[in-house]
Amino acid sequence: MRRLPLLGALLASLAGAQPPSGPPSWEGQIIYQVMPDRFFDGDRANNAGVDRSNPRAWHGGDLAGLTQKLPYIQGLGATAVWLTPIYRQQAGNSFDTAPYHGYWPADFRDVDPHFGTLGDFDAFTTAARSAGLRVVLDQVVNHYGYGAEAVRQHPAWFNGQAECDKTTNKDVDCPLAGLPDLKQASPEVRDLLLGNADFWRARGVDAFRYDAIRHVERPFLKDVLARDRAAGTWTLGEWYGADTGTVAEWQRAGFDSLFLFSLQGAMQKSVMGGQSLTQVANVLSRQGELPRPGEVALFLDNHDLPRFAQGSLFEDEAQTRTRYGLRALLTLRGVPVLWQGTEIALRGGADPDNRRDMRFEDGWTTAEKAVYAAARDAIAVRRASRALSVGTQTLRPVPDTLQDDLLLLTREVDGERVLAAWHGGRERRTYSLRLSTLGLTAADQAVTRSLYAGQDARVSVGGGWLHLSLPGKDAAVFGLR
């Protein structure tokens, strides 16, 4: 959800939102994002209005289906699952679109019948915990749905045209996409929204993803962040288009994490689009600005963006480059977030095409199976390596003539060190680089293969030189002494 106000003065009021207790840490976690309606149908009895031929209609996915498919998420290697909102939605459609996505709420403390019941949600959280998966729930705090009864029952809760006309902060005090805009300064609204967080926390939710924080009143965010921090709840904010500076400001203000949209855009252009890797390097070079670099949310795509694999006209190339993107993403410091279907290079353009129904193993092509295998392997490699999971990250300088096609970084913790190499060239190439130019010291090392399975990539060290043999359009990771 989009539109950009000035940050400085607006965020100043949030300074000091963090209580003395240390923040929860999700460094080392891997989040799998699910839109329940488009994931799996586990209960056909709640399929009223389902029309899978219509991309703007309900498609029948539900909490029962998500619970049944937890072994799939666990098998991929994710450690947490993020659900888009499952609240009871407005009863009718708006703009010929059903509220299948969950962002048009009518009752924040109930489950929409299309998704199931509160009992189904409790069963899901219990099963997730048994599977070792943390639960992230989307929290809408900016608005109600267009047709929500609360708009008629409590008009004083909302900013109307008069408030919008007189305000100097249009992003906060005017409706976003025409949605009924809540006045979080109202004591009733504040108590309602804070109570909503308590309600879901008590039902087993470990973290909240806060939607559209750009459009929410800052004093209220100060309150909600302090309350979440005191409860040990991890907080992930969505500021559409956020760059490193924006993420850093909000981390200082009290959020544990934000999505790093600037990295996603750079990877879309560099990895999928074949442009220079300097665009990615420029984003990574700003890591030092982040108060908590290990918590920042890293992603290739999500439910608000065209699919990563949509960046190529050719499906086979999109699959190859999605594999490259997944392997590359999982070398970076932060919390990777994988949107359902990215692990098989699912395609899709702008909303609603980017929300196609998830498909599972029995419906995959041979090429999709290969992308999945690479994704699962890259996750397993990351989880097996403390350096990749929680290590510091250092971007290594490469010669100017190689910067378009080669990006090198090291991750290190407790004496364990790995080297990640992203290669944007189309063909296999061998590179020999002086360790001193990379700012590296390393013992001599015989030829060593990539930690990623089934990948013909090699490294060796000798006589002050680093030698790399890398396939085209791929990312590799090596143990380094």
Side-chain angles (χ1 to χ4, degrees):
M1 296 190 169
R2 314 162 189 197
R3 285 185 285 183
L4 204 62
L6 297 174
L7 272 178
L10 294 175
L11 287 165
S13 65
L14 281 170
Q18 303 179 33
S21 59
S25 175
W26 275 46
E27 190 167 9
Q29 301 300 313
I30 298 168
I31 300 173
Y32 189 80
Q33 180 196 353
V34 167
M35 181 171 279
D37 180 66
R38 302 301 165 91
F39 196 60
F40 188 70
D41 186 0
D43 182 1
R44 295 180 182 272
N46 58 26
N47 283 1
V50 165
D51 181 1
R52 293 187 180 88
S53 68
N54 180 355
R56 296 186 179 277
W58 292 97
H59 282 198
D62 49 34
L63 289 167
L66 176 55
T67 304
Q68 290 176 35
K69 288 295 184 182
L70 284 175
Y72 171 82
I73 298 172
Q74 185 183 33
L76 179 63
T79 62
V81 56
W82 158 29
L83 290 71
T84 52
I86 45 79
Y87 319 122
R88 182 181 292 271
Q89 297 293 293
Q90 65 179 47
N93 295 357
S94 293
F95 313 107
D96 296 320
T97 301
Y100 68 88
H101 43 71
Y103 292 99
W104 296 345
D107 185 343
F108 291 98
R109 300 189 196 179
D110 197 8
V111 169
D112 192 275
H114 290 89
F115 299 133
T117 65
L118 283 170
D120 291 326
F121 184 82
D122 294 341
F124 160 72
T125 57
T126 298
R129 183 159 283 109
S130 295
L133 293 167
R134 302 184 186 191
V135 175
V136 185
L137 183 63
D138 224 306
Q139 283 285 71
V140 178
V141 292
N142 177 68
H143 58 265
Y144 269 84
Y146 297 101
E149 284 295 321
V151 180
R152 289 178 287 278
Q153 294 172 351
H154 307 283
W157 288 6
F158 301 92
N159 289 310
Q161 192 60 48
E163 289 88 350
C164 181
D165 288 342
K166 70 182 181 183
T167 186
T168 58
N169 191 351
K170 302 292 185 184
D171 288 299
V172 170
D173 298 323
C174 293
L176 172 63
L179 288 159
D181 188 65
L182 283 164
K183 293 180 179 178
Q184 290 87 12
S186 162
E188 285 183 296
V189 173
R190 176 188 177 279
D191 290 347
L192 169 73
L193 296 176
L194 292 177
N196 293 341
D198 292 340
F199 178 85
W200 294 106
R201 188 168 17 242
R203 305 195 87 93
V205 173
D206 302 291
F208 292 126
R209 179 265 191 189
Y210 284 102
D211 181 57
I213 62 171
R214 177 184 304 173
H215 306 284
V216 179
E217 296 176 18
R218 272 57 185 179
F220 168 75
L221 284 177
K222 178 179 178 179
D223 290 344
V224 78
L225 290 171
R227 195 180 186 102
D228 286 342
R229 178 64 53 81
T233 302
W234 194 69
T235 52
L236 171 58
E238 185 234 7
W239 179 290
Y240 192 93
D243 66 0
T244 303
T246 306
V247 175
E249 291 281 1
W250 281 101
Q251 282 191 324
R252 284 192 290 270
F255 268 99
D256 296 310
S257 182
L258 261 73
F259 296 94
L260 187 55
F261 277 84
S262 58
L263 178 66
Q264 186 278 331
M267 292 187 69
Q268 184 74 48
K269 293 173 183 176
S270 299
V271 175
M272 180 56 69
Q275 298 179 23
S276 172
L277 282 170
T278 57
Q279 296 179 77
V280 174
N282 289 339
V283 176
L284 297 182
S285 69
R286 299 183 62 188
Q287 180 195 222
E289 299 174 31
L290 296 168
R292 299 173 65 191
E295 304 287 337
V296 64
L298 314 171
F299 65 109
L300 295 179
D301 52 12
N302 65 24
H303 62 296
D304 286 328
L305 298 170
R307 286 281 188 175
F308 188 70
Q310 194 70 13
S312 172
L313 289 173
F314 305 103
E315 187 170 16
D316 57 347
E317 182 176 60
Q319 290 162 339
T320 297
R321 295 191 182 185
T322 298
R323 182 184 62 191
Y324 170 21
L326 287 164
R327 284 173 167 166
L329 189 79
L330 286 158
T331 67
L332 297 176
R333 189 176 190 188
V335 180
V337 182
L338 302 184
W339 164 224
Q340 64 183 52
T342 302
E343 73 272 23
I344 58 169
L346 196 64
R347 290 165 72 82
D351 174 9
D353 191 40
N354 57 345
R355 301 169 179 182
R356 297 179 189 180
D357 294 324
M358 180 62 187
R359 292 184 291 103
F360 295 94
E361 299 92 327
D362 58 353
W364 292 348
T365 66
T366 300
E368 288 171 336
K369 291 176 182 178
V371 178
Y372 172 83
R376 183 175 62 180
D377 172 68
I379 291 172
V381 168
R382 182 183 179 93
R383 291 184 61 182
S385 167
R386 277 187 47 78
L388 281 175
S389 293
V390 300
T392 58
Q393 177 174 295
T394 305
L395 184 65
R396 298 296 172 177
V398 299
D400 292 348
T401 56
L402 303 181
Q403 288 179 357
D404 286 345
D405 290 339
L406 184 65
L407 184 149
L408 300 178
L409 59 91
T410 52
R411 304 284 309 280
E412 187 169 3
V413 67
D414 298 333
E416 179 190 349
R417 182 168 56 164
V418 297
L419 170 72
W422 300 18
H423 185 215
R426 286 189 170 274
E427 307 296 334
R428 168 174 289 280
R429 185 169 172 187
T430 298
Y431 298 93
S432 293
L433 304 165
R434 285 189 182 275
L435 291 173
S436 58
T437 65
L438 301 174
L440 267 177
T441 57
D444 287 358
Q445 182 170 326
V447 173
T448 304
R449 290 190 173 273
S450 170
L451 297 175
Y452 289 152
Q455 182 184 60
D456 186 14
R458 299 181 292 275
V459 68
S460 66
V461 180
W465 290 80
L466 177 79
H467 307 285
L468 289 164
S469 178
L470 302 171
K473 300 295 180 187
D474 210 348
V477 63
F478 308 93
L480 194 65
R481 291 199 288 270

